[in-house]
Amino acid sequence: MQKRHIQHLYFRAGFGIDPDLLHNMASMDKPQVIERLFSASKYYKPINLDLSGYEALVTTTRKEIKENPELYRNLIKRSRIKLKELNSVWLERLCTTDAVFNEKMTLFWANIFVCKDNHIYHVLKYNNTLRKHALGNFRVFVKAIAREASMSKYLNNRQNVKRKPNENFARELMELFTLGEDNYSETDIKEAARAFTGWSFKPNGDFLLRKQQHDYGKKTIFDETGNFDGDQVIDIILKQKQCAKYICSKIYRYFINPKIDEVRLVEITDVFYKDYDIKNVMLYIFSSDWFYDNENIGVKIKSPIELIVGIQKVVPFHFKKPQRSIYIQKIMGQVLLNPPNVAGWKQDRNWIDGNTLMFRLKLASVVLNDAVIDIDVKGEFEDDFENYYKAVKNRNHFLKTERSWANFNKNYNNLSFKVLKSLLIITSIDRDTDAFLELLSKKNPKEYLIQLMSIPEYQLC
């Protein structure tokens, strides 16, 4: 298999590939390379956090919360701090895992089944549900998501009861999670909402059906009539081929090309619709010759997380003050666990504007070479640091990091500058930029690396 095609595969299924692994795979054929990628992600590994001291979050009853709301607010405030730890642990997992494809799929699904919550137990459970089903069966996946406590709270399904159905979850289930806008009727939503009445959860996040709040009457959804519950509604939705097409369009833009080829979309939709097996459709895509066409290589703008992880995989680094990692994510517009709304993050060109581009181009210098950067960004995920922001507004600051150049020295330092460039930049380089890089050929490898990561072409994968 061509080295460039292996790189392309690992940029899309992961966050790049180190030179030793690329060298070892160069003698393999395509099925062998793909088998190795999938084999490493055969089993998912959940993220675990030490939640000692947070037990009251899952033992406090709703009655106790009503009687002492201030106590529970304090618990949630502490929980928000723990969420920052989960953010860091997830980011580190993306940088270090061998099961990189499963983690990349987890990141992808986090922007499909969008959810936000401040309850660390429920968020961790939800995040691991994404991870568990990332390469599994989509039907089982959707049903699991519908039972998640965080999702129930986020889309008000706990308030969905027989006498007064709440349509939020049913609407987003169809519009954003499975079918896309205008592919259902208002009647379908109202009837589906009735099927999800009574769906709730226990304090520990386990699913709970409140039978007295569930509507057991007949419903008509997509011209099917019956005493449907939520699971049966999901089955009916998945009968619509539009569901397979909608999910495949998301997969296409994320893993193949931001611009959809309708012929190829029909092709992968047919594959997915047969059994809704996520692994099978991804295997089909990565095995197809057209996936490796030049028109699909180096045309996708890296998300902020892809950009951060890509740098860290070459030169591992850690912020001396961990919250700085969240600042960086916030400045670039993608904070793990903190989507902007139920529609999630917009992709590709939406990552770039005049401010974010300049910061992205400077990111490698900031984290690897102690360059200065303006810090003036606010958001609810960092509300604990409000006083900090007031103190530093409009000042230049260093974002101190600890770098492990040993990884770079081991894997990259002995490579020629030409090979280093080919490893990190997969798209064509502008002639003037290439001439500029040529002038740097007398500099040391570390400086050359930082310059490579600072050119516009490094923003693409």
Coordinates of all heavy atoms in Angstrom, one line a residue, residues 289-371:
D289 N -11.3 1.9 -3.3 CA -10.2 2.7 -4.0 C -10.5 4.2 -4.0 O -9.6 5.0 -3.9 CB -10.0 2.1 -5.4 CG -9.5 0.7 -5.4 OD1 -8.9 0.3 -4.4 OD2 -9.6 0.0 -6.5
W290 N -11.7 4.5 -4.2 CA -12.1 6.0 -4.3 C -11.8 6.8 -3.0 O -11.6 8.0 -3.1 CB -13.5 6.2 -4.8 CG -14.6 5.5 -4.0 CD1 -15.2 4.3 -4.3 CD2 -15.1 5.8 -2.7 NE1 -16.1 3.9 -3.4 CE2 -16.1 4.9 -2.4 CE3 -14.9 6.9 -1.8 CZ2 -16.9 4.9 -1.2 CZ3 -15.7 7.0 -0.7 CH2 -16.6 6.0 -0.3
F291 N -11.7 6.1 -1.9 CA -11.4 6.8 -0.6 C -10.0 7.4 -0.7 O -9.7 8.5 -0.1 CB -11.5 5.8 0.5 CG -11.0 6.4 1.9 CD1 -11.8 7.3 2.5 CD2 -9.8 6.1 2.4 CE1 -11.4 7.9 3.7 CE2 -9.4 6.6 3.6 CZ -10.2 7.5 4.3
Y292 N -9.1 6.8 -1.5 CA -7.7 7.3 -1.6 C -7.5 8.1 -2.9 O -6.3 8.4 -3.2 CB -6.8 6.0 -1.6 CG -7.0 5.2 -0.4 CD1 -7.9 4.1 -0.4 CD2 -6.3 5.5 0.8 CE1 -8.1 3.3 0.7 CE2 -6.5 4.7 1.9 CZ -7.4 3.6 1.9 OH -7.6 2.9 3.0
D293 N -8.6 8.5 -3.5 CA -8.4 9.5 -4.7 C -7.8 10.8 -4.2 O -8.1 11.2 -3.1 CB -9.8 9.7 -5.3 CG -10.3 8.6 -6.1 OD1 -9.5 7.6 -6.4 OD2 -11.5 8.6 -6.5
N294 N -7.0 11.4 -5.0 CA -6.4 12.7 -4.7 C -7.4 13.7 -4.2 O -7.1 14.6 -3.4 CB -5.6 13.2 -5.8 CG -4.3 12.4 -6.0 OD1 -3.7 11.8 -5.1 ND2 -3.8 12.4 -7.3
E295 N -8.6 13.7 -4.8 CA -9.6 14.7 -4.5 C -10.0 14.6 -3.0 O -10.6 15.5 -2.5 CB -10.8 14.6 -5.4 CG -11.6 13.3 -5.2 CD -12.6 13.1 -6.3 OE1 -12.4 13.6 -7.4 OE2 -13.7 12.6 -6.0
N296 N -9.7 13.5 -2.4 CA -10.2 13.3 -1.0 C -9.0 13.4 0.0 O -9.2 13.3 1.2 CB -10.8 11.9 -0.8 CG -12.1 11.7 -1.5 OD1 -12.9 12.7 -1.7 ND2 -12.3 10.6 -2.1
I297 N -7.8 13.6 -0.5 CA -6.6 13.7 0.4 C -6.2 15.1 0.7 O -6.1 16.0 -0.2 CB -5.4 13.0 -0.2 CG1 -5.8 11.5 -0.4 CG2 -4.2 13.1 0.6 CD1 -4.7 10.7 -1.1
G298 N -6.1 15.5 2.0 CA -5.6 16.8 2.4 C -6.6 17.9 2.1 O -6.2 19.0 1.9
V299 N -7.9 17.6 2.2 CA -8.9 18.6 1.9 C -9.8 18.9 3.1 O -10.7 19.8 2.9 CB -9.8 18.1 0.7 CG1 -9.0 18.0 -0.6 CG2 -10.5 16.8 1.0
K300 N -9.5 18.3 4.2 CA -10.4 18.5 5.4 C -9.6 19.4 6.4 O -8.5 19.2 6.7 CB -10.7 17.2 6.0 CG -11.6 17.2 7.2 CD -11.9 15.8 7.7 CE -12.7 15.8 9.0 NZ -11.9 16.1 10.1
I301 N -10.3 20.5 6.8 CA -9.7 21.3 7.9 C -9.7 20.6 9.2 O -10.8 20.2 9.6 CB -10.4 22.7 7.9 CG1 -10.2 23.4 6.6 CG2 -9.8 23.5 9.1 CD1 -11.0 24.7 6.5
K302 N -8.6 20.5 9.9 CA -8.6 19.9 11.2 C -9.5 20.6 12.2 O -9.5 21.8 12.2 CB -7.2 19.8 11.7 CG -6.2 18.9 10.9 CD -4.8 19.0 11.4 CE -3.8 18.3 10.5 NZ -2.4 18.5 11.0
S303 N -10.2 19.8 13.0 CA -10.9 20.5 14.1 C -9.9 20.9 15.1 O -8.7 20.5 15.1 CB -11.9 19.5 14.7 OG -11.1 18.5 15.4
P304 N -10.2 21.8 16.0 CA -9.3 22.2 17.1 C -8.7 21.0 17.9 O -7.5 21.0 18.1 CB -10.1 23.1 18.0 CG -11.1 23.7 17.1 CD -11.4 22.6 16.1
I305 N -9.5 20.0 18.2 CA -9.1 18.9 18.9 C -8.1 18.0 18.0 O -7.1 17.6 18.5 CB -10.2 18.0 19.4 CG1 -11.1 18.8 20.4 CG2 -9.7 16.7 20.0 CD1 -10.4 19.3 21.6
E306 N -8.4 17.9 16.8 CA -7.5 17.2 15.9 C -6.2 17.9 15.8 O -5.1 17.3 15.7 CB -8.1 17.1 14.5 CG -9.3 16.1 14.4 CD -9.9 16.1 13.0 OE1 -10.2 17.2 12.5 OE2 -10.3 15.0 12.5
L307 N -6.2 19.2 15.8 CA -5.0 20.0 15.7 C -4.1 19.8 17.0 O -2.9 19.6 16.9 CB -5.3 21.5 15.5 CG -4.1 22.4 15.2 CD1 -3.4 22.1 13.9 CD2 -4.6 23.9 15.2
I308 N -4.8 19.9 18.1 CA -4.0 19.8 19.4 C -3.5 18.4 19.5 O -2.3 18.2 19.9 CB -5.0 20.1 20.6 CG1 -5.4 21.5 20.6 CG2 -4.3 19.7 21.9 CD1 -6.5 21.8 21.5
V309 N -4.3 17.4 19.2 CA -3.8 16.0 19.4 C -2.7 15.7 18.4 O -1.7 15.0 18.7 CB -5.0 15.0 19.2 CG1 -4.5 13.6 19.2 CG2 -6.0 15.2 20.3
G310 N -2.8 16.2 17.2 CA -1.8 16.0 16.2 C -0.4 16.5 16.6 O 0.6 15.8 16.5
I311 N -0.4 17.6 17.3 CA 0.9 18.2 17.8 C 1.4 17.3 18.9 O 2.6 17.0 19.0 CB 0.7 19.7 18.2 CG1 0.3 20.5 17.0 CG2 1.9 20.2 18.9 CD1 -0.1 22.0 17.4
Q312 N 0.5 17.0 19.8 CA 0.9 16.2 21.0 C 1.4 14.8 20.7 O 2.2 14.3 21.4 CB -0.3 16.1 22.0 CG -0.5 17.4 22.8 CD -1.4 17.1 24.0 OE1 -2.5 16.7 23.9 NE2 -0.8 17.4 25.2
K313 N 0.9 14.2 19.6 CA 1.4 12.9 19.2 C 2.9 13.0 18.7 O 3.6 12.0 18.8 CB 0.5 12.3 18.1 CG -0.8 11.8 18.7 CD -1.7 11.2 17.6 CE -1.2 9.8 17.2 NZ -1.3 8.8 18.3
V314 N 3.3 14.1 18.2 CA 4.7 14.3 17.8 C 5.6 14.7 18.9 O 6.6 14.2 19.2 CB 4.8 15.3 16.6 CG1 6.2 15.5 16.2 CG2 3.9 14.9 15.4
V315 N 5.1 15.7 19.7 CA 5.8 16.2 20.9 C 4.9 16.3 22.0 O 4.1 17.2 22.2 CB 6.5 17.6 20.6 CG1 7.3 18.0 21.9 CG2 7.3 17.6 19.4
P316 N 4.8 15.2 22.9 CA 3.9 15.3 24.0 C 4.2 16.5 24.9 O 5.3 16.8 25.2 CB 4.2 14.0 24.7 CG 4.7 13.0 23.7 CD 5.5 13.9 22.8
F317 N 3.1 17.2 25.3 CA 3.3 18.3 26.2 C 2.1 18.4 27.2 O 1.0 17.8 26.9 CB 3.4 19.6 25.4 CG 2.1 20.0 24.6 CD1 1.1 20.7 25.3 CD2 1.9 19.6 23.3 CE1 -0.1 21.0 24.6 CE2 0.8 19.9 22.6 CZ -0.2 20.7 23.3
H318 N 2.4 19.0 28.3 CA 1.3 19.2 29.3 C 1.4 20.7 29.8 O 2.5 21.2 30.0 CB 1.5 18.3 30.5 CG 1.4 16.8 30.1 ND1 0.1 16.2 29.9 CD2 2.3 15.9 29.8 CE1 0.3 15.0 29.6 NE2 1.6 14.7 29.5
F319 N 0.3 21.3 30.0 CA 0.3 22.6 30.5 C 0.6 22.6 32.0 O 0.1 21.7 32.7 CB -1.1 23.3 30.3 CG -1.4 23.6 28.9 CD1 -2.2 22.8 28.1 CD2 -0.9 24.8 28.3 CE1 -2.4 23.1 26.8 CE2 -1.1 25.1 27.0 CZ -1.9 24.2 26.3
K320 N 1.5 23.5 32.5 CA 1.8 23.5 33.9 C 0.6 23.8 34.8 O 0.5 23.4 35.9 CB 2.9 24.5 34.2 CG 4.3 24.0 33.5 CD 5.4 25.0 33.8 CE 6.7 24.5 33.2 NZ 7.8 25.5 33.4
K321 N -0.3 24.6 34.2 CA -1.6 24.8 34.8 C -2.7 24.2 33.9 O -3.0 24.6 32.8 CB -1.9 26.3 35.0 CG -0.9 27.0 35.9 CD -1.3 28.5 36.1 CE -0.3 29.1 37.1 NZ -0.6 30.6 37.3
P322 N -3.3 23.0 34.4 CA -4.1 22.2 33.5 C -5.3 23.0 32.9 O -5.7 22.7 31.8 CB -4.6 21.1 34.5 CG -3.6 21.0 35.5 CD -3.1 22.4 35.7
Q323 N -5.8 24.0 33.6 CA -7.0 24.7 33.0 C -6.6 25.4 31.7 O -7.5 25.8 30.9 CB -7.6 25.7 34.0 CG -6.7 26.9 34.4 CD -5.9 26.6 35.7 OE1 -5.6 25.4 35.9 NE2 -5.6 27.6 36.4
R324 N -5.3 25.6 31.5 CA -4.9 26.3 30.2 C -5.3 25.5 29.0 O -5.5 26.0 27.9 CB -3.3 26.5 30.2 CG -2.8 27.4 31.3 CD -3.3 28.8 31.0 NE -2.5 29.8 31.8 CZ -2.7 30.2 33.0 NH1 -3.7 29.7 33.7 NH2 -1.9 31.1 33.6
S325 N -5.4 24.2 29.1 CA -5.8 23.3 28.0 C -7.2 23.7 27.6 O -7.6 23.8 26.4 CB -5.8 21.9 28.4 OG -6.3 21.1 27.4
I326 N -8.1 24.0 28.6 CA -9.5 24.4 28.3 C -9.5 25.8 27.6 O -10.2 26.1 26.7 CB -10.3 24.4 29.5 CG1 -10.5 22.9 30.0 CG2 -11.7 25.0 29.3 CD1 -11.2 22.8 31.3
Y327 N -8.6 26.7 28.1 CA -8.5 28.0 27.4 C -8.2 27.8 25.9 O -8.8 28.5 25.1 CB -7.4 28.8 28.1 CG -7.5 29.2 29.5 CD1 -6.4 29.6 30.2 CD2 -8.7 29.1 30.2 CE1 -6.5 29.9 31.6 CE2 -8.9 29.4 31.5 CZ -7.7 29.8 32.2 OH -7.9 30.1 33.5
I328 N -7.2 27.0 25.6 CA -6.8 26.8 24.2 C -8.0 26.2 23.4 O -8.3 26.7 22.3 CB -5.6 25.8 24.2 CG1 -4.4 26.3 24.8 CG2 -5.4 25.3 22.7 CD1 -3.8 27.5 24.0
Q329 N -8.7 25.3 24.0 CA -9.9 24.7 23.3 C -10.9 25.8 23.1 O -11.5 25.9 22.0 CB -10.4 23.6 24.1 CG -9.5 22.3 24.2 CD -10.1 21.3 25.2 OE1 -11.2 20.9 25.1 NE2 -9.2 20.9 26.1
K330 N -11.1 26.6 24.1 CA -12.2 27.6 24.0 C -11.8 28.7 22.9 O -12.7 29.1 22.1 CB -12.3 28.3 25.4 CG -13.4 29.4 25.4 CD -14.8 28.8 25.2 CE -15.9 29.9 25.3 NZ -17.2 29.3 25.1
I331 N -10.6 29.1 22.9 CA -10.2 30.1 21.9 C -10.4 29.6 20.5 O -10.8 30.3 19.6 CB -8.7 30.5 22.1 CG1 -8.5 31.2 23.4 CG2 -8.1 31.3 21.0 CD1 -7.1 31.4 23.9
M332 N -10.1 28.3 20.3 CA -10.3 27.8 18.9 C -11.7 27.3 18.6 O -12.0 26.9 17.5 CB -9.3 26.6 18.7 CG -7.8 27.1 18.7 SD -6.6 25.9 18.1 CE -6.7 24.6 19.3
G333 N -12.5 27.2 19.6 CA -14.0 27.0 19.4 C -14.4 25.6 19.5 O -15.5 25.2 19.1
Q334 N -13.7 24.7 20.3 CA -14.2 23.3 20.5 C -13.7 22.9 21.9 O -12.5 22.5 22.0 CB -13.7 22.4 19.4 CG -14.3 21.0 19.5 CD -13.7 20.0 18.5 OE1 -12.6 20.2 18.0 NE2 -14.5 19.0 18.2
V335 N -14.5 22.9 22.9 CA -14.2 22.4 24.2 C -14.8 21.1 24.4 O -16.1 20.9 24.3 CB -14.7 23.4 25.3 CG1 -14.3 22.9 26.7 CG2 -14.1 24.8 25.0
L336 N -14.1 20.0 24.6 CA -14.6 18.7 24.8 C -15.6 18.7 26.0 O -15.4 19.4 27.0 CB -13.5 17.7 25.2 CG -12.5 17.3 24.1 CD1 -11.4 16.4 24.6 CD2 -13.2 16.7 22.9
L337 N -16.7 18.1 25.8 CA -17.8 18.0 26.8 C -18.7 19.2 26.8 O -19.6 19.3 27.6 CB -17.3 17.6 28.2 CG -16.4 16.4 28.3 CD1 -15.9 16.3 29.7 CD2 -17.1 15.2 27.9
N338 N -18.4 20.2 26.0 CA -19.1 21.5 26.1 C -19.5 22.0 24.7 O -19.1 23.0 24.2 CB -18.2 22.6 26.8 CG -19.0 23.8 27.1 OD1 -20.2 23.8 27.5 ND2 -18.3 25.0 27.0
P339 N -20.4 21.2 24.0 CA -20.9 21.7 22.7 C -21.7 23.0 22.8 O -22.2 23.3 23.8 CB -21.8 20.5 22.3 CG -22.2 19.9 23.5 CD -21.1 20.0 24.5
P340 N -21.7 23.7 21.7 CA -22.3 25.1 21.7 C -23.9 25.0 21.8 O -24.5 25.9 22.4 CB -21.9 25.7 20.4 CG -21.6 24.5 19.5 CD -21.0 23.5 20.4
N341 N -24.4 23.9 21.3 CA -25.9 23.7 21.3 C -26.2 22.3 20.9 O -25.3 21.5 20.6 CB -26.6 24.7 20.4 CG -26.0 24.7 19.0 OD1 -25.9 23.7 18.3 ND2 -25.6 25.9 18.5
V342 N -27.5 21.9 20.8 CA -27.8 20.5 20.5 C -27.4 20.1 19.0 O -27.3 19.0 18.7 CB -29.3 20.3 20.7 CG1 -30.2 21.1 19.6 CG2 -29.7 18.8 20.7
A343 N -27.2 21.1 18.2 CA -26.7 20.8 16.8 C -25.3 20.5 16.8 O -24.7 20.1 15.7 CB -27.1 22.0 15.9
G344 N -24.5 20.8 17.8 CA -23.1 20.5 17.9 C -22.2 21.5 17.2 O -22.7 22.6 16.8
W345 N -21.0 21.2 17.0 CA -20.0 22.0 16.3 C -20.2 21.9 14.8 O -20.3 20.9 14.2 CB -18.6 21.7 16.7 CG -18.3 22.0 18.1 CD1 -17.9 23.2 18.6 CD2 -18.2 21.0 19.2 NE1 -17.7 23.1 20.0 CE2 -17.8 21.7 20.3 CE3 -18.3 19.6 19.3 CZ2 -17.6 21.1 21.6 CZ3 -18.2 19.0 20.5 CH2 -17.8 19.8 21.6
K346 N -20.2 23.1 14.1 CA -20.1 23.1 12.7 C -18.7 22.7 12.3 O -17.8 23.0 13.0 CB -20.5 24.5 12.1 CG -22.0 24.8 12.4 CD -22.3 26.2 11.9 CE -23.7 26.6 12.1 NZ -24.1 27.9 11.6
Q347 N -18.6 22.1 11.1 CA -17.3 21.5 10.8 C -16.6 22.3 9.7 O -17.0 23.3 9.2 CB -17.5 20.1 10.3 CG -18.2 19.2 11.3 CD -17.3 18.8 12.4 OE1 -16.2 18.4 12.3 NE2 -17.9 19.0 13.6
D348 N -15.4 21.8 9.4 CA -14.5 22.3 8.2 C -14.3 23.8 8.3 O -13.7 24.3 9.2 CB -15.2 21.8 6.9 CG -14.1 21.8 5.8 OD1 -13.0 21.2 6.0 OD2 -14.4 22.4 4.7
R349 N -14.8 24.5 7.2 CA -14.5 26.0 7.1 C -15.0 26.8 8.3 O -14.6 27.9 8.6 CB -15.0 26.5 5.8 CG -14.3 26.0 4.6 CD -14.8 26.7 3.3 NE -14.1 26.1 2.2 CZ -12.9 26.6 1.7 NH1 -12.3 27.6 2.4 NH2 -12.4 26.0 0.7
N350 N -16.0 26.2 9.0 CA -16.5 26.9 10.2 C -15.5 27.0 11.3 O -15.7 27.8 12.3 CB -17.8 26.3 10.6 CG -19.0 26.4 9.6 OD1 -19.5 27.5 9.4 ND2 -19.3 25.3 8.9
W351 N -14.5 26.2 11.3 CA -13.5 26.3 12.3 C -12.6 27.5 12.2 O -11.9 27.9 13.1 CB -12.5 25.0 12.3 CG -13.2 23.7 12.6 CD1 -13.2 22.6 11.9 CD2 -13.9 23.4 13.8 NE1 -13.8 21.6 12.5 CE2 -14.3 22.0 13.7 CE3 -14.2 24.1 15.0 CZ2 -15.0 21.4 14.7 CZ3 -14.9 23.4 16.0 CH2 -15.3 22.1 15.9
I352 N -12.6 28.1 11.0 CA -11.7 29.1 10.6 C -12.3 30.5 10.5 O -13.3 30.6 9.8 CB -10.9 28.8 9.3 CG1 -10.2 27.5 9.4 CG2 -10.0 29.9 8.9 CD1 -9.0 27.5 10.4
D353 N -11.8 31.5 11.2 CA -12.1 32.9 10.9 C -10.8 33.7 11.1 O -9.7 33.1 11.4 CB -13.2 33.4 11.7 CG -13.0 33.4 13.2 OD1 -11.8 33.5 13.7 OD2 -13.9 33.2 14.0
G354 N -10.8 35.0 11.0 CA -9.6 35.8 11.0 C -8.9 35.6 12.4 O -7.6 35.5 12.4
N355 N -9.6 35.5 13.5 CA -9.0 35.3 14.8 C -8.5 33.9 15.0 O -7.3 33.7 15.5 CB -9.9 35.8 15.9 CG -10.3 37.2 15.8 OD1 -9.4 38.0 15.5 ND2 -11.5 37.6 16.1
T356 N -9.3 32.9 14.8 CA -8.9 31.6 15.1 C -7.8 31.1 14.2 O -6.9 30.3 14.6 CB -10.1 30.6 14.9 OG1 -10.7 30.7 13.6 CG2 -11.2 30.9 16.0
L357 N -7.8 31.5 12.9 CA -6.7 31.1 12.0 C -5.3 31.6 12.5 O -4.4 30.8 12.6 CB -6.9 31.6 10.6 CG -5.8 31.3 9.6 CD1 -5.6 29.8 9.5 CD2 -6.1 31.9 8.2
M358 N -5.3 32.8 12.9 CA -4.0 33.4 13.4 C -3.5 32.6 14.7 O -2.4 32.3 14.8 CB -4.1 34.9 13.7 CG -4.4 35.7 12.5 SD -3.1 35.4 11.2 CE -1.6 36.0 12.0
F359 N -4.5 32.3 15.6 CA -4.1 31.5 16.7 C -3.7 30.1 16.4 O -2.7 29.6 16.9 CB -5.3 31.5 17.7 CG -5.0 30.8 19.0 CD1 -4.4 31.5 20.1 CD2 -5.2 29.4 19.1 CE1 -4.1 30.8 21.2 CE2 -4.9 28.7 20.3 CZ -4.3 29.4 21.3
R360 N -4.4 29.5 15.5 CA -4.1 28.1 15.1 C -2.7 28.1 14.5 O -1.9 27.1 14.7 CB -5.1 27.6 14.1 CG -6.5 27.3 14.7 CD -7.5 27.0 13.7 NE -7.2 25.9 12.9 CZ -8.0 24.7 12.9 NH1 -9.0 24.6 13.7 NH2 -7.7 23.7 12.1
L361 N -2.3 29.1 13.6 CA -1.0 29.1 13.0 C 0.1 29.3 14.1 O 1.2 28.9 13.9 CB -0.9 30.2 12.0 CG -1.8 30.0 10.7 CD1 -1.8 31.3 9.9 CD2 -1.4 28.8 9.9
K362 N -0.3 29.9 15.2 CA 0.7 30.2 16.2 C 0.7 29.1 17.3 O 1.6 29.1 18.2 CB 0.4 31.5 16.9 CG 1.6 32.1 17.6 CD 1.3 33.6 18.1 CE 2.5 34.2 18.7 NZ 2.3 35.6 19.2
L363 N -0.2 28.2 17.3 CA -0.4 27.2 18.3 C 0.9 26.4 18.6 O 1.3 26.2 19.8 CB -1.5 26.2 18.0 CG -1.8 25.2 19.1 CD1 -2.2 25.8 20.4 CD2 -2.9 24.2 18.6
A364 N 1.6 25.9 17.6 CA 2.8 25.1 17.8 C 3.9 25.9 18.5 O 4.6 25.4 19.4 CB 3.3 24.6 16.5
S365 N 4.0 27.2 18.2 CA 5.0 28.0 18.9 C 4.6 28.3 20.3 O 5.4 28.3 21.2 CB 5.1 29.4 18.1 OG 5.6 29.2 16.8
V366 N 3.3 28.4 20.5 CA 2.8 28.6 21.9 C 3.1 27.5 22.8 O 3.6 27.6 23.9 CB 1.3 28.9 21.9 CG1 0.7 28.9 23.3 CG2 1.0 30.2 21.2
V367 N 2.8 26.2 22.3 CA 2.9 25.1 23.2 C 4.3 24.4 23.2 O 4.7 23.7 24.1 CB 1.8 24.0 22.9 CG1 0.4 24.6 23.1 CG2 2.0 23.5 21.5
L368 N 5.1 24.7 22.1 CA 6.4 24.0 22.0 C 7.5 25.0 22.2 O 8.7 24.5 22.4 CB 6.5 23.3 20.7 CG 5.5 22.2 20.3 CD1 5.7 21.6 19.0 CD2 5.4 21.2 21.4
N369 N 7.3 26.3 22.2 CA 8.4 27.2 22.2 C 8.1 28.4 23.0 O 8.8 29.5 22.9 CB 8.7 27.7 20.7 CG 10.1 28.1 20.6 OD1 11.0 27.6 21.3 ND2 10.4 29.0 19.6
D370 N 7.1 28.4 23.9 CA 6.8 29.4 24.9 C 6.5 30.8 24.2 O 6.9 31.8 24.8 CB 8.0 29.6 25.9 CG 8.0 28.5 26.9 OD1 6.9 27.9 27.2 OD2 9.1 28.2 27.5
A371 N 5.9 30.7 23.1 CA 5.5 32.0 22.4 C 4.4 32.6 23.3 O 3.7 32.0 24.0 CB 5.0 31.8 21.0

